[in-house]
């Protein structure tokens, strides 16, 4: 303070000093010659803070360099601290006595007594931090020639008052003079003053901290007051702030914040402190945060008098934190802390069960958000604000949300406008704001004015709400927080729906739904679809509305009654369209029902023309109630391949699957297919413990693969089932009419009779409900069945591996009827040959099989034989059946009645073929014999070739012994059968009558060793 003003005030009534301002400085009292001090004060106040001092603190805290400033005031006994006074800011840290006495007589007469009185007062108040300054002046030396040397006055003072503390008396040589001696004396004095100030400050601050710590440790005792403790620790914060140690000052407020928060949490858990009842009083004022004043003295006094509400305490505490953060140039932390504060206050009011009028908290939050934003704008330029939108957008969003709540509460969003009750509520809310504060009275866009204007009319509210919403969406979009932008957009869509503007709401709902589908947020998808369905219904988008309704009717996240409602909407539309003339609506089927399996009968899905094919579908209905379908239809595409000649029954049987069951992939209705391939959540528990006592502070759950789950997909990817599904029209349809589709699994069977050969592909599945058609546009995997048309065939094959000449053996006749139906009287005409007659027993039977080899019937064969023809009458058999019967056949290489020429010819053929086909001496010679068969289904004869093998190899040799000739015949068996020779003889077919062939041995010995098994 100005020393001259202080001297004038000495004659007046003492006034209490103004202590709580941002210009607080440590107090230093000045006694003695006030005129002397007044002359030195300007230079002293300017030079003192220039040089920093190292401040070493207790408890191992790091030293800091600080600049000391002081508030020099005239010494008064009233300034000395009284017992129990905990106000550090009013505490004088140093007392200085100024004198320039150079006369011993004067010293003895007045100065000594004055110093004695001064020190006695200090002793009474136990103040030991003092300093006596003796100012030496050359001008006074010239005026008084009989004065003693200066050292004698200083020595006297030291002897009288500084016996053991000689450093408490310093000499300041002509401080106003510009000389080296004066400068050296001045510097020494400043150093001494800084040292004494810092010593006093450290000592008193340490004692204050000890007392504060002791007070905090008594917080569990009855009668402990948080408000009292608050004032004590805030005093410490003021001191740190006074020393420009803003970080340390902020720590004090953070500790108070944490202490109070813990008590509130404990109260919610049932462990409440008595003093908390002061903060449980009903909220009567909700004028928001006050951040434009360094110290809100009004709220501070409420805290000091224990009259503050919870909002008062929180508002004051945050305003002090905000001020310090701005001094620390951390404005973005202000916005972060503000958002946490506002959310926490809402919860704390609930925990403490504080009575809050409806809408009061919304007003308080709205005003506080705008106050914080404007405070930040006041200390940052536009470039900084734009670059740090990510820190402030949360406040914009919260303000938008609260303004929307106020609009709904006060009837400003309804189509009819506010009623009388809404108007009364608005008046009450505005009354709780009180009068506008002086510091914002001249601001055109103050939070108070904005809120009051927004609640004044429907139009004003709409303007402010839309401005805030659009600004918030733009900010979120610019920083890449698309999900948050879509969430605000949903609120905006709800607002437009209330205002009967569904066309504006649809854009925001579709955008939000697209994002949620891409990321698989099931509950958000359901909620958004409900809003979108309402919007589409108002817009008259029938097709879109029915599709959304089908998705909602199949959504398990909705209640059963809600699902039934949306299902009934579809049924009602179908009934209306059936009664009137309406255009058919085609919708995707995946949300209505899902195709699970398909089963063919026959299993290989191969049938002949005229055959019956059964197709069984398993459908999973996702509707909550039974649905009466007019028709279920399978659209079939028919095609004839160029190489269809290959598709005989045998070929198709080999190349088709045998089980006949096809499974279709399941799909979550209304979700993109990619969602099913997302990895599972990797959740882990998280514990945070206190480093001091290892107690549990916080616990939570962490998702370690969140980067995999929240990846954004390409915006161009189609996420919803597209509308405009086309229904194919074709001549080939499999239909099932009047089918009741029950909730859950249903089985539908289609039967069709094949009419035309080719490949049939199942393309679409359609369920018709009046004019509403649910279509599965593509059946995948591809499902086909084949229809073949087969020509009648006759096959003759031996029953053994090979036919042997000369013995009767069985051959099997197989008649495949194909498309020909065997009628009564149809016969097979076989041409007879003398060398290969057909033999047949009278009881010959024919078996008839279906084309699936199921035995159908058995019938006797009627066989008639003439000289040239053997006629076999076939049993009656339908088309695509098989007739099988067996006959015996024998091939005779030679006959007794044959002429020599013919026998020779046969032998030539036999030997010729033997030479061609016999590879080694042990191989049988073969003979091919052809049979001509006339079939009733063809005008052309069928030629069947049967191959016979000659089982014996005969050799002979002519031996001579004198006049005798011996013929040795060796017969070798080349087959796997055993033969026994009998009635063997040699015949002479020549003209030599006198030649006689006599056996050498008896008949019983002739074949011994003659027949060999190969």
């Amino acid at each position: 303070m100005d020393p001259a003003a202080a001297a004038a005030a000495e004659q007046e009534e003492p006034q209490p000093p103004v202590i709580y301002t941002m210009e607080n400085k440590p107090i230093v009292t000045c006694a003695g010659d006030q005129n002397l001090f007044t002359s030195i004060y300007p230079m002293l106040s300017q030079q003192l803070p220039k040089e920093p001092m190292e401040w070493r603190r207790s408890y191992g805290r790091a030293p800091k360099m600080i600049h000391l400033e002081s508030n020099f005031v005239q010494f008064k006994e009233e300034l000395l601290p009284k017992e129990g006074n905990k106000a550090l800011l009013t505490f004088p840290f140093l007392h200085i006595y100024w004198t320039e006495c150079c006369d011993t007589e004067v010293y003895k007469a007045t100065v000594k007594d004055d110093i004695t009185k001064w020190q006695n007062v200090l002793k009474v108040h136990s103040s030991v931090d003092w300093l006596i300054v003796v100012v030496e002046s050359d001008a006074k030396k010239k005026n008084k020639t009989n004065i003693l040397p200066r050292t004698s006055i200083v020595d006297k003072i030291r002897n009288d008052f500084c016996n053991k503390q000689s450093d408490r008396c310093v000499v300041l040589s002509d401080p106003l003079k510009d000389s080296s001696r004066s400068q050296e004396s001045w510097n020494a004095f400043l150093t001494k003053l800084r040292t004494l100030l810092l010593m006093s400050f450290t000592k008193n601050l340490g004692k204050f901290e000890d007392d504060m710590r002791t007070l905090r440790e008594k917080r569990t005792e009855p009668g402990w007051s948080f408000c009292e403790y608050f004032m004590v620790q805030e005093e410490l914060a003021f001191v740190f702030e006074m020393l420009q140690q803003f970080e340390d000052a902020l720590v004090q407020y953070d500790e108070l914040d944490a202490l109070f928060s813990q008590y509130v949490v404990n109260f919610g858990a049932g462990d409440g402190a008595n003093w908390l009842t002061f903060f449980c009083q009903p909220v009567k004022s909700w004028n928001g945060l006050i951040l434009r004043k360094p110290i809100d003295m009004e709220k501070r006094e409420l805290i000091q008098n224990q009259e503050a509400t919870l909002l008062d305490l929180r508002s004051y505490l945050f305003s002090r934190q905000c001020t310090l953060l701005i001094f620390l140039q951390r404005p973005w932390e202000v916005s972060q802390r503000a958002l946490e504060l506002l959310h926490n206050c809402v919860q704390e009011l609930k925990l403490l069960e504080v009575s809050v009028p409806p809408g009061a908290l919304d007003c308080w939050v709205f005003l506080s958000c705008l106050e914080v934003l404007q405070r930040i704008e006041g200390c940052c330029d536009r470039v900084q604000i734009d670059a740090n939108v990510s820190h402030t957008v949360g406040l914009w969003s919260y303000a938008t949300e609260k303004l929307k709540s106020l609009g709904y509460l006060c009837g400003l969003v309804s189509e009819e406008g506010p009623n009388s009750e809404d108007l009364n509520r608005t008046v009450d809310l505005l009354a709780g704001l009180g009068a506008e504060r002086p510091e914002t009275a001249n601001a055109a866009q103050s939070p108070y004015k904005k809120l009051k204007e927004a609640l004044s009319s429907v139009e004003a509210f709409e303007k402010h709400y839309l401005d805030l919403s659009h600004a918030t969406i733009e900010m979120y979009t610019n920083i890449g927080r698309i999900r948050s932008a879509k969430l605000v957009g949903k609120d905006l869509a709800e607002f437009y729906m209330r205002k009967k503007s569904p066309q504006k709401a649809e854009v925001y709902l579709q955008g939000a739904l697209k994002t949620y589908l891409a990321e698989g947020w099931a509950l958000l998808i359901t909620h958004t679809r409900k809003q979108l369905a309402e919007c589409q219904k108002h817009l008259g988008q029938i097709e879109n509305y029915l599709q959304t309704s089908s998705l909602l009717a199949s959504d398990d996240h909705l209640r059963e009654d809600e699902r039934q409602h949306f299902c009934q909407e579809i049924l009602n539309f179908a009934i209306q369209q059936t009664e009137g003339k309406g255009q058919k609506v085609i919708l995707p089927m995946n949300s209505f029902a899902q195709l699970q399996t398909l089963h063919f009968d026959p299993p290989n899905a191969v049938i002949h023309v005229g055959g019956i094919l059964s197709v069984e579908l398993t459908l999973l209905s996702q509707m909550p109630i039974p649905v009466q379908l007019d028709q279920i239809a399978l659209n079939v595409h028919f095609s004839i391949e160029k190489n269809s000649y290959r598709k005989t029954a045998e070929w198709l049987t080999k190349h088709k699957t045998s089980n006949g069951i096809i499974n279709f992939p399941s799909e979550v209705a209304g979700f993109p297919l990619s969602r099913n391939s997302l990895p599972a959540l990797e959740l882990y528990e998280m514990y945070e413990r206190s480093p001091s006592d290892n107690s549990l502070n916080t616990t939570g759950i962490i998702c370690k693969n969140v980067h995999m789950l929240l990846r954004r997909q390409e915006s161009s990817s189609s996420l919803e089932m597209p509308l405009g599904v086309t229904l194919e029209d074709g001549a080939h349809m499999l239909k099932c009419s009047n089918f009741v589709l029950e909730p859950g699994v249903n089985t539908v069977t289609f039967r069709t009779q094949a009419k035309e050969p080719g490949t049939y592909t199942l393309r679409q599945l359609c369920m018709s409900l009046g004019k509403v058609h649910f279509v599965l546009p593509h059946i995948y995997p591809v499902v086909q069945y084949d229809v073949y048309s087969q020509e009648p065939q006759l096959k003759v094959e031996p029953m053994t591996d090979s036919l042997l000449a000369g013995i009767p053996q069985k051959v099997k006749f197989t008649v495949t009827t194909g498309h020909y139906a065997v009628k009564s009287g149809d016969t097979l005409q076989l041409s007879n040959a003398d060398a290969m007659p057909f033999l047949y027993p009278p009881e010959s039977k024919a078996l008839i099989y279906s084309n699936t080899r199921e035995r159908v019937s058995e019938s006797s064969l009627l066989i008639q034989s003439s000289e040239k023809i053997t006629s076999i009458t076939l049993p009656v058999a339908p088309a695509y059946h098989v007739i099988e019967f067996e006959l015996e056949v024998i091939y005779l290489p030679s006959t007794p009645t044959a002429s020599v020429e013919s026998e020779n010819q046969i032998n030539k053929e036999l030997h010729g073929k033997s030479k061609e086909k016999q590879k080694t001496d042990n191989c049988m010679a073969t003979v091919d014999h052809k049979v001509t068969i006339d079939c009733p289904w063809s005008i052309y004869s069928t030629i069947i070739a049967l191959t016979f093998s000659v089982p014996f190899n005969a050799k002979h040799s002519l031996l001579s012994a004198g006049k005798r000739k011996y013929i040795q015949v060796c017969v070798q068996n080349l087959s796997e059968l055993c033969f026994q020779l009998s009635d063997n003889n040699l015949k002479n077919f020549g003209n030599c009558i006198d030649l006689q062939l006599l056996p050498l041995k008896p008949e019983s010995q002739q074949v011994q060793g003659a027949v060999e098994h190969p």
Side-chain angles (χ1 to χ4, degrees):
M1 78 183 273
D2 187 0
E10 186 177 8
Q11 307 299 326
E12 301 175 3
E13 189 71 21
Q15 298 292 329
V18 179
I19 55 174
Y20 298 111
T21 65
M22 296 307 297
E23 292 76 26
N24 285 329
K25 299 173 186 177
I27 294 176
V28 177
T29 66
C30 298
D33 192 343
Q34 294 296 320
N35 293 326
L36 172 64
F37 172 70
T38 301
S39 62
I40 297 174
Y41 172 74
M43 184 182 297
L44 180 61
S45 60
Q46 182 181 5
Q47 295 292 328
L48 181 63
K50 277 192 174 182
E51 294 294 332
M53 293 289 289
E54 185 181 36
W55 182 26
R56 294 186 176 274
R57 304 179 62 189
S58 58
Y59 300 106
R61 287 173 284 192
K64 295 184 178 182
M65 301 300 293
I66 62 173
H67 293 264
L68 285 172
E69 294 185 77
S70 293
N71 183 19
F72 294 93
V73 298
Q74 184 177 358
F75 177 78
K76 294 179 182 180
E77 187 175 355
E78 293 82 4
L79 294 177
L80 297 178
K82 298 177 177 60
E83 188 67 27
N85 186 4
K86 299 181 176 61
L88 272 180
L89 289 182
T90 60
F91 185 87
F93 290 94
L94 186 63
H95 306 277
I96 304 178
Y97 188 90
W98 297 85
T99 181
E100 58 177 350
C101 177
C102 55
D103 189 337
T104 305
E105 297 301 327
V106 174
Y107 169 74
K108 290 180 181 180
T110 59
V111 174
K112 182 177 180 181
D113 293 340
D114 195 30
I115 294 176
T116 302
K117 292 178 182 178
W118 173 67
Q119 284 212 338
N120 290 335
V121 173
L122 295 179
K123 288 177 183 179
V124 170
H125 292 84
S126 302
S127 182
V128 295
D129 298 306
W130 51 268
L131 177 67
I132 299 175
V133 180
V134 180
V135 179
E136 181 184 79
S137 175
D138 291 340
K140 289 199 173 185
K141 281 185 182 180
K142 294 177 181 178
N143 294 335
K144 298 184 181 266
T145 57
N146 59 342
I147 62 173
L148 294 172
R150 175 62 56 190
T151 53
S152 62
I153 295 294
V154 173
D155 290 342
K156 282 184 177 293
I157 293 175
R158 285 175 177 167
N159 290 333
D160 294 338
F161 304 103
C162 309
N163 294 329
K164 299 180 179 178
Q165 295 176 304
S166 59
D167 59 332
R168 291 301 177 105
C169 180
V170 296
V171 179
L172 185 59
S173 299
D174 213 347
L176 301 178
K177 204 170 184 182
D178 187 10
S179 65
S180 58
R181 180 169 172 269
S182 297
Q183 189 63 40
E184 182 180 349
S185 173
W186 182 256
N187 290 338
F189 167 69
L190 288 177
T191 302
K192 187 66 174 178
L193 180 59
R194 293 188 188 111
T195 302
L196 291 175
L197 262 176
L198 193 57
M199 287 172 57
S200 175
F201 182 79
T202 303
K203 178 184 64 176
N204 288 286
L205 188 61
K207 184 178 182 302
F208 184 87
E209 286 182 309
D210 291 339
D211 294 341
M212 184 188 74
R213 198 172 295 109
T214 302
L215 181 60
R216 183 172 60 226
E217 290 172 355
K218 295 179 180 180
R219 63 185 178 276
T220 56
E221 298 179 2
W224 188 84
S225 171
F226 176 81
C227 293
E228 180 183 348
Y229 176 74
F230 182 94
M231 306 307 292
V232 171
Q233 188 156 2
E234 188 186 32
E235 192 75 22
L236 181 61
F238 282 147
V239 172
F240 285 125
E241 185 179 0
M242 178 179 65
L243 297 174
Q244 297 187 358
Q245 301 302 305
F246 302 118
E247 190 70 52
D248 291 324
L250 182 62
V251 168
Q252 309 309 313
Y253 287 110
D254 288 346
E255 289 180 357
L256 288 170
D257 190 346
L259 181 62
F260 185 80
S261 298
Q262 188 60 53
Y263 271 106
V264 174
V265 172
N266 293 344
F267 184 89
D271 181 18
N274 293 332
W275 55 264
L276 267 176
T277 55
F278 295 115
F279 299 98
C280 296
Q281 52 188 306
V283 175
K284 297 180 181 178
S285 173
W286 40 88
N287 55 359
L289 296 174
I290 301 175
L291 305 180
R292 309 190 189 225
K293 293 193 294 187
I295 301 175
D296 186 353
M297 292 303 299
E298 181 181 347
K299 284 188 171 53
R300 189 175 190 277
E301 289 176 4
L302 291 175
I303 297 172
Q304 189 172 15
N305 299 330
Q306 298 187 3
E307 298 174 356
T309 64
L310 176 70
L311 295 183
D312 292 332
L313 175 67
R314 284 301 187 187
S315 298
Y316 177 76
L317 190 55
F318 181 78
S319 68
R320 296 296 301 132
Q321 291 170 318
C322 172
T323 300
L324 294 170
L325 285 170
I326 289 176
F327 280 146
L328 291 168
Q329 297 182 351
R330 285 149 56 181
W332 313 119
E333 190 174 336
V334 174
S335 61
Q336 175 189 341
R337 287 180 176 232
L339 198 58
E340 294 175 2
L341 166 78
L342 299 176
H343 284 288
N344 289 340
C345 278
V346 174
Q347 299 305 317
E348 288 177 348
L349 288 169
K350 292 179 181 178
L351 285 175
L352 295 179
E353 300 177 356
V354 177
S355 175
V356 183
L361 201 54
D362 295 331
C363 290
W364 184 79
V365 171
F366 178 80
L367 292 171
S368 299
C369 287
L370 296 190
E371 178 73 7
V372 173
L373 291 170
Q374 291 188 5
R375 184 71 180 90
I376 293 174
E377 290 175 0
C379 61
C380 301
D381 57 32
R382 175 50 56 183
V383 176
Q384 289 177 308
I385 293 173
D386 293 340
N388 292 274
V389 169
S390 59
H391 296 95
T392 58
V393 67
L395 291 171
W396 286 103
S397 178
Y398 204 16
T400 305
E401 177 186 338
K402 292 306 176 183
L403 184 61
K404 181 192 78 169
S405 299
L406 287 170
Y408 283 35
L409 183 67
C410 298
L412 298 172
V413 183
S414 62
E415 189 177 9
E416 298 80 12
N419 54 32
S420 59
E421 184 180 351
D422 297 329
L423 293 174
N424 290 335
R425 188 179 296 114
T426 304
V427 170
D428 292 340
L429 289 175
L430 293 177
L433 301 180
E436 186 172 8
R437 296 188 291 267
E439 56 268 20
T440 62
N442 297 326
Q445 294 295 321
S446 67
Y448 181 90
K449 291 186 177 70
K450 282 191 174 184
L451 180 57
K452 194 170 182 180
E453 181 182 352
L455 298 181
S456 63
S457 67
V458 173
E459 294 77 14
F461 172 81
E462 182 174 349
K463 174 184 179 300
H464 283 280
Y465 178 67
L466 292 181
D467 289 345
L468 278 175
S469 297
H470 291 148
T472 303
I473 291 174
E474 183 181 358
M475 291 179 197
Y476 274 135
T477 304
N478 291 339
I479 62 176
R481 290 179 59 178
I482 304 300
R483 301 180 196 94
S484 299
K486 300 302 181 185
L487 202 58
V488 178
K490 276 191 63 182
D491 292 338
L492 198 54
E494 185 180 350
F495 170 79
Y496 281 128
M497 289 300 295
R498 290 284 193 101
K499 302 293 287 184
K500 303 301 180 184
S501 300
Q503 67 280 2
K504 295 180 180 179
E506 186 188 18
V507 178
Y508 294 102
L509 292 175
Q510 290 285 12
L513 182 59
K514 185 176 181 180
T515 300
Y516 300 151
L517 282 169
E519 299 175 356
W521 299 104
L523 293 177
L524 288 174
I525 290 171
T526 301
H527 184 261
T528 307
R529 278 196 178 128
K530 283 179 62 179
Q531 294 176 301
L532 187 60
E534 182 185 358
C535 180
Q536 292 167 343
K537 188 174 183 179
H538 281 87
L539 289 173
Q541 299 176 354
I542 301 302
E543 190 171 347
N544 292 341
Y545 175 65
L546 292 178
Q547 181 189 0
T548 305
S549 295
S550 68
L551 289 167
L552 290 169
S554 63
D555 197 331
D556 292 334
H557 298 98
L558 286 178
R559 299 192 311 272
E560 191 69 17
D561 60 324
E562 290 181 304
R563 292 181 61 193
Q564 292 178 5
H565 164 73
F566 287 108
C567 182
Q568 195 62 46
E569 288 286 288
I570 301 172
L571 299 180
N572 293 341
F573 177 82
I575 294 172
Q576 294 171 4
Q577 294 297 306
T578 304
E579 294 173 353
K581 292 183 179 180
Q583 186 177 3
K584 64 181 179 182
V585 177
I586 302 173
L587 302 174
M589 195 182 72
N590 68 321
S591 59
F592 185 77
Q594 290 188 4
L595 177 60
Q596 289 188 321
T597 62
L598 183 146
H599 182 216
F600 279 118
D601 186 20
N604 59 2
V606 177
I607 57 171
H608 57 77
V609 173
I612 302 297
L613 177 73
S614 175
V615 182
E616 182 182 279
L617 300 183
T618 302
L619 297 170
L620 176 65
S621 173
Q622 301 188 99
M623 295 296 102
I625 58 177
V627 178
Q628 176 71 46
L629 296 175
D630 298 338
Q631 177 181 275
I632 301 179
L634 274 171
N635 184 288
V636 182
H637 176 73
F638 171 69
S639 63
I640 301 177
E641 297 183 2
K642 294 181 180 179
N643 58 346
S644 60
Y645 64 88
R646 293 179 54 198
K647 293 200 171 183
T648 62
E650 293 82 4
W651 186 90
L652 287 168
T653 303
K654 291 179 182 178
H655 290 79
K656 299 287 284 189
T657 57
S658 59
N659 62 358
I661 299 176
I662 300 170
N663 295 308
F664 297 91
S666 60
E667 168 186 345
V668 179
F671 286 90
L673 291 176
S674 60
R675 181 181 184 270
N676 298 331
S677 60
L678 290 176
L681 285 171
E682 294 181 12
L683 299 178
Y684 295 89
E685 295 179 351
M686 181 272 296
Y687 300 99
E688 183 178 333
R689 297 186 177 275
S690 172
S692 58
D693 57 359
N694 201 35
S695 61
L696 184 63
N697 285 344
T698 57
T699 183
I701 296 176
I702 294 177
C703 179
K704 289 197 172 183
N705 61 338
V706 66
H707 60 288
M708 297 294 294
L709 294 164
L710 299 184
R711 289 181 300 180
R712 292 190 58 199
Q713 298 186 3
E714 294 295 328
S715 59
S716 60
S717 61
S718 179
L719 301 172
E720 282 277 50
M721 286 295 294
L723 290 176
V725 177
T726 57
L727 180 62
E728 295 182 1
D729 294 327
H732 300 277
M733 300 280 288
L734 305 183
K735 299 180 181 179
C736 178
S737 301
N738 296 323
F739 184 85
V740 178
L741 193 68
E742 299 286 345
V745 178
N746 298 261
T747 301
V748 188
T749 303
F750 301 89
R751 295 185 184 276
T752 181
Q753 185 173 19
K755 297 180 180 179
E756 192 174 354
T759 299
Y760 293 79
T761 305
L762 306 185
R763 296 285 285 270
Q764 283 187 344
L765 177 63
C766 176
M767 298 182 181
S768 300
L769 182 63
K771 293 290 184 179
V772 180
H773 300 270
F774 291 95
V775 178
L776 180 62
H778 303 288
I779 297 178
Y780 185 84
V782 177
V783 180
Q784 295 177 331
Y785 66 90
D786 290 280
V787 177
Y788 65 89
S789 176
Q790 189 175 15
E791 295 295 325
Q793 295 179 359
L794 173 65
K795 184 187 295 183
V796 181
E797 53 188 353
M799 300 293 289
T800 59
D801 292 340
S802 62
L803 295 173
L804 299 179
I807 60 174
Q809 295 172 89
K810 288 185 178 182
V811 291
K812 181 171 72 171
F813 285 74
T814 303
V815 178
T816 303
T817 62
H819 61 76
Y820 181 79
V822 179
K823 301 178 292 295
S824 177
D826 286 348
T827 59
L828 296 178
Q829 304 286 340
L830 283 69
S831 61
N832 291 337
D834 294 337
M836 193 187 69
F838 283 92
L839 309 176
Y840 49 89
E843 66 278 1
S844 296
K845 302 287 184 180
L847 297 176
I848 302 175
Y849 296 93
S850 67
N851 64 337
T852 58
R853 294 304 296 175
E854 295 179 2
R855 183 169 174 172
V856 177
S857 63
E858 181 178 341
S859 179
S860 298
L861 278 178
L862 178 61
I863 304 175
Q864 295 177 346
S865 181
S866 64
E867 182 180 354
K868 293 184 178 181
I869 298 295
T870 298
S871 178
I872 304 173
T873 302
L874 296 174
V876 177
Y880 296 100
H881 279 63
V882 177
I883 303 173
E884 290 184 355
F885 58 88
E886 298 175 3
L887 298 178
E888 288 187 342
V889 65
I890 185 171
Y891 175 69
L892 303 174
S894 61
T895 60
T897 59
S899 63
V900 174
E901 290 77 7
S902 62
E903 183 69 27
N904 289 338
Q905 183 65 30
I906 291 174
N907 288 335
K908 288 179 181 179
E909 290 180 5
L910 178 63
H911 291 301
K913 291 184 181 293
S914 298
K915 290 179 182 179
E916 292 176 6
K917 296 186 179 182
Q918 186 173 341
K919 296 181 180 178
T920 64
D921 292 340
N922 293 329
C923 290
M924 292 185 289
T926 59
V927 177
D928 290 337
H929 192 82
K930 297 180 180 178
V931 179
T932 302
I933 305 176
D934 292 330
C935 302
W937 55 78
S938 176
I939 61 175
Y940 301 102
S941 298
T942 301
I943 299 175
I944 302 297
L946 296 175
T947 301
F948 294 87
S949 300
V950 180
F952 303 122
N953 185 16
K955 295 180 181 180
H956 72 278
S957 58
L958 182 63
L959 304 176
S960 300
K963 294 182 178 180
R964 291 185 177 186
K965 297 293 182 180
Y966 298 90
I967 299 175
Q968 183 185 41
V969 178
C970 293
V971 180
Q972 183 181 9
N973 181 11
L974 301 178
S975 73
E976 295 181 352
L977 299 177
C978 295
F979 292 90
Q980 182 176 2
L981 297 180
S982 61
D983 298 331
N984 53 76
N985 55 48
L986 288 177
K987 293 182 178 181
N988 178 16
F989 288 94
N991 297 324
C992 184
I993 301 173
D994 298 335
L995 180 64
Q996 293 183 359
L997 298 175
L998 300 174
L1000 185 60
K1001 294 181 180 181
E1003 184 177 353
S1004 61
Q1005 299 178 359
Q1006 287 179 3
V1007 298
Q1008 186 175 3
V1011 179
E1012 301 176 358
H1013 196 281

